[in-house]
Amino acid sequence: MKRPTIHDIAREAGVAKSTVSFALNGLPGVSEATRQRILAVAGELGWQPSRAARALSAAQAEVVGLVLARPTGLLEVEPFFMRLIAGVEAALGADDIGLLLQVVGDDPQHELEVYRRWWGQRRVDGVLVVDVRVDDQRLPVLAELGLPCVLVSSEVPGSGLTSVGLDTKAAMVAAVAHLRALGHTRIARVSGHADFQETVLRDRAFAETAGPDAVIVAADYSGERGAAATRDLLLSGQPPTAIVYDNDVMAVSAVGVAAELGLDVPGDLSIVAWDDSPLCRLPHPALTAISRDIPGYGAAAAGALLRVIHGERVPDAVFGIPELVVRGSTGPA
Amino acid sequence: MKRPTIHDIAREAGVAKSTVSFALNGLPGVSEATRQRILAVAGELGWQPSRAARALSAAQAEVVGLVLARPTGLLEVEPFFMRLIAGVEAALGADDIGLLLQVVGDDPQHELEVYRRWWGQRRVDGVLVVDVRVDDQRLPVLAELGLPCVLVSSEVPGSGLTSVGLDTKAAMVAAVAHLRALGHTRIARVSGHADFQETVLRDRAFAETAGPDAVIVAADYSGERGAAATRDLLLSGQPPTAIVYDNDVMAVSAVGVAAELGLDVPGDLSIVAWDDSPLCRLPHPALTAISRDIPGYGAAAAGALLRVIHGERVPDAVFGIPELVVRGSTGPA
DNA sequence: CTGTTAGCGCATTCAT
DNA sequence: ATGAATGCGCTAACAG
């Protein structure tokens, strides 16, 4: 009544353990007849390989890790991560690789500590790294540790680490062009964490697209900061007629701010969200948004990680084509 | 330049492997002097235990699993899970137990398949089970497999499985009492998945509190269904003046519906959300909500799971005291 | 084609 | 107090 082992199968089938191992792993060196018999016995016994034993022997955990390092107040309402994870697991599932998740506060030291432990104990074979910052202090450590990883981020030239990115520029162009076409000239943007690399890229893309003096107010992806930034913009001397937000959460909060100030959306203010999670359909009017295939993105990143773990040298990649989904929150200037 | 093992430490310190093992694990049978020397050497060498070896030897994965089985459209915007996970890991971190996460579509068979694999391969030592349904088909399987688990749910009498729940009745009473005090008499409720056990409990609590003929419209936690239910209610012959929602997402969408219908919140409609995630502060007015310590709840459930894994018989428990946080979305009838 | 054997790194029992 | 020996379940190199 205990877990059957290869040894049990061997005894039951009247062959040697190694024969069983070969048969089970589809390796040559076993006659088709014996292989079938072994498989049958394994099936009857309900045998499943022991992960621990396999991991020890193969020196492979068959697990990849993901650390989420944001204050939970930010994490829990940010749909991006669950969507990413869903995609990651789709790619991992085929090889039956597990995903070890760790959410740590906002402490980069803590995050590095997790990587050191995970890799030191070979608890994971590699990790996916999100929220890459400018001059990210994690990157050199990761490189030095030799922990296989893929940056879920645009490329980071000096790092020597593989990245899988999204086309930020194209997305920004789509958003701004849409607003321009509606006649907007005073277009502003409320950005995410100022020291995320992605934010800097969007800053640049926005400046190149909306003009160098287009206003950007820095926020941090949270509803609070997003709302505050929106208030600042709308109560300023020259309020914008359209605002592009760096995520859905801040864009949703902007609808609230408009209501609070008695402004009509999109009559007085057009709003563009970024990511296009189901959050965009919560407010009225529903939000026009930059839409990207986040699950697909996660799957691509996970696929790249598997190859990196496998020892391949994987080139940086850019995933997918952003699209603008027009809903009620944008209208003529 | 490769990973040091206990053997290396033993050689370096001039003792036997077992002595090193004893010293490292704080077991008696080693002189204090040797212990110190061994610890010093281990530190110099940067030794870390191999998880795979330890797991094989101890027949313990030191990992617990969590399967999330909802359509991703629902998962990604539901803050509950990330908050729960944050709490779970807080409890797991102390013992350095990992959390293996698996998101599967909406397929209960698929979920059971995951449990069978995880347990068959001893990839996890136990699991946390969420979204418990009425006559949940997973429960007997879990019990039969002998996979240690804790239901993140109110108790399920016949199941033989340990549960950690929240005080649903108290929460409902708080919500309804608040609305009653404001003079509301036509109070309705928009519920989550009809076949979740929690929904049934809330149905009953609502009927007991708001009166047996208080209207309940069944939805599924999604913004779409929540909005549709709200529309149904508000466009009916006797529209309610207050609605209690089973989660934050549907409550936020209700603000949108009110705006769409030209109704004032809370002037024409009072809204109570359930969970009190940061989502509640996104709309204007901000949402009054039933607040529960979800991270704490997750930690409690994880703690119970650890004890179950340890072989203890853990009694069902109810965690924490729900509170009503009053914000702008509720007002006099 | 099949069986024997020796690790993987750690825990632990049993002698010394 | 310390060291030698064995097993966890699987893989793989080797000999038969």
Side-chain angles (χ1 to χ4, degrees), chain A residues 121-143:
Chain A
Q121 306 180 173
R122 288 300 186 275
R123 205 171 191 158
V124 300
D125 298 318
V127 296
L128 248 20
V129 180
V130 297
D131 289 345
V132 173
R133 300 172 187 246
V134 178
D135 290 327
D136 199 309
Q137 55 178 306
R138 297 171 298 173
L139 273 34
V141 177
L142 249 8

Side-chain angles (χ1 to χ4, degrees), chain A residues 3 48-53 55-56 61-63 68 72-83 85-86 89 93 96-104 116-123 222-224 249 252-257 259-260 276-279 281-284 295, chain B residues 3 48-53 55-56 61-63 68 72-83 85-86 89 93 96-104 116-123 222-224 249 252-257 259-260 276-279 281-284 295:
Chain A
R3 266 169 57 82
Q48 310 239 101
S50 152
R51 277 297 169 169
L56 179 61
E62 300 195 273
V63 169
L68 262 25
T72 62
L74 264 172
L75 254 190
E76 61 203 31
V77 291
E78 180 58 79
F80 178 84
F81 295 108
M82 271 295 178
R83 306 174 81 193
I85 288 172
E89 301 206 329
D96 198 25
I97 305 291
L99 178 69
L100 202 58
L101 181 68
Q102 178 85 14
V103 346
V104 305
R116 286 207 180 83
R117 273 213 317 274
W118 276 357
W119 186 234
Q121 306 180 173
R122 288 300 186 275
R123 205 171 191 158
S222 75
E224 279 75 19
V249 173
V252 171
S253 81
V255 176
V257 172
E260 175 192 333
D276 193 31
S277 70
L279 277 188
R281 267 163 296 176
L282 258 29
H284 179 82
Chain B
R3 265 170 57 81
Q48 311 240 101
S50 152
R51 221 65 197 202
L56 180 59
E62 301 196 272
V63 170
L68 263 25
T72 62
L74 265 172
L75 254 190
E76 63 204 31
V77 291
E78 182 55 79
F80 179 84
F81 295 108
M82 272 294 179
R83 305 174 83 193
I85 289 173
E89 301 208 326
D96 199 25
I97 305 292
L99 177 69
L100 202 59
L101 181 68
Q102 179 85 10
V103 345
V104 306
R116 288 209 180 82
R117 274 213 317 276
W118 277 357
W119 185 235
Q121 307 180 171
R122 291 298 188 273
R123 209 173 191 165
S222 75
E224 278 76 18
V249 172
V252 170
S253 80
V255 176
V257 171
E260 177 191 333
D276 193 32
S277 72
L279 277 188
R281 267 162 296 175
L282 257 29
H284 179 82

Side-chain angles (χ1 to χ4, degrees), chain B:
Chain B
M1 204 53 197
K2 50 189 280 287
R3 265 170 57 81
T5 72
I6 280 196
H7 188 79
D8 298 321
I9 301 178
R11 188 164 27 68
E12 199 74 15
V15 297
K17 291 195 301 184
S18 58
T19 307
V20 174
S21 184
F22 279 21
L24 256 19
N25 295 3
L27 298 178
V30 188
S31 74
E32 197 46 36
T34 353
R35 180 186 306 271
Q36 289 307 331
R37 188 155 45 87
I38 287 171
L39 290 178
V41 172
E44 279 171 34
L45 262 43
W47 177 85
Q48 311 240 101
S50 152
R51 221 65 197 202
R54 179 196 294 256
L56 180 59
S57 174
Q60 275 258 327
E62 301 196 272
V63 170
V64 303
L66 174 64
V67 176
L68 263 25
R70 287 197 188 182
T72 62
L74 265 172
L75 254 190
E76 63 204 31
V77 291
E78 182 55 79
F80 179 84
F81 295 108
M82 272 294 179
R83 305 174 83 193
L84 188 79
I85 289 173
V88 166
E89 301 208 326
L92 259 29
D95 295 5
D96 199 25
I97 305 292
L99 177 69
L100 202 59
L101 181 68
Q102 179 85 10
V103 345
V104 306
D106 201 6
D107 183 357
Q109 289 312 319
H110 191 346
E111 178 173 355
L112 285 175
E113 205 39 58
V114 172
Y115 291 143
R116 288 209 180 82
R117 274 213 317 276
W118 277 357
W119 185 235
Q121 307 180 171
R122 291 298 188 273
R123 209 173 191 165
V124 300
D125 298 319
V127 297
L128 250 18
V129 180
V130 296
D131 288 345
V132 173
R133 299 172 187 245
V134 178
D135 289 327
D136 198 310
Q137 56 177 304
R138 298 170 298 173
L139 273 33
V141 178
L142 250 8
E144 187 199 324
L145 283 176
L147 169 53
C149 64
V150 162
L151 309 180
V152 180
S153 141
S154 299
E155 51 182 335
V156 182
S159 68
L161 302 173
T162 298
S163 73
V164 178
L166 288 168
D167 193 340
T168 297
K169 181 67 189 287
M172 193 62 84
V173 167
V176 172
H178 169 64
L179 293 171
R180 277 271 165 65
L182 288 169
H184 292 275
T185 52
R186 293 204 309 284
I187 303 174
R189 171 165 161 265
V190 172
S191 71
H193 257 306
D195 48 348
F196 282 5
Q197 198 205 23
E198 174 66 13
T199 303
V200 173
L201 291 177
R202 289 192 202 171
D203 285 347
R204 189 181 318 153
F206 187 67
E208 290 171 4
T209 319
D213 38 59
V215 178
I216 299 178
V217 179
D220 67 351
Y221 295 122
S222 75
E224 278 76 18
R225 293 279 307 272
T230 303
R231 265 183 224 106
D232 285 354
L233 282 168
L234 295 178
L235 298 176
S236 68
Q238 278 237 325
T241 58
I243 306 179
V244 178
Y245 290 84
D246 263 13
N247 73 345
D248 293 342
V249 172
M250 297 194 294
V252 170
S253 80
V255 176
V257 171
E260 177 191 333
L261 300 181
L263 297 177
D264 181 59
V265 175
D268 301 313
L269 176 68
S270 282
I271 295 174
V272 176
W274 197 291
D275 272 352
D276 193 32
S277 72
L279 277 188
C280 292
R281 267 162 296 175
L282 257 29
H284 179 82
L287 303 179
T288 292
I290 289 293
S291 173
R292 305 176 299 172
D293 176 10
I294 306 297
Y297 180 42
L305 178 57
L306 258 22
R307 295 173 53 200
V308 169
I309 290 173
H310 209 70
E312 301 178 39
R313 196 144 58 221
V314 182
D316 291 318
V318 174
F319 175 81
I321 299 158
E323 261 180 77
L324 185 79
V325 175
V326 179
R327 298 201 183 86
S329 69
T330 48

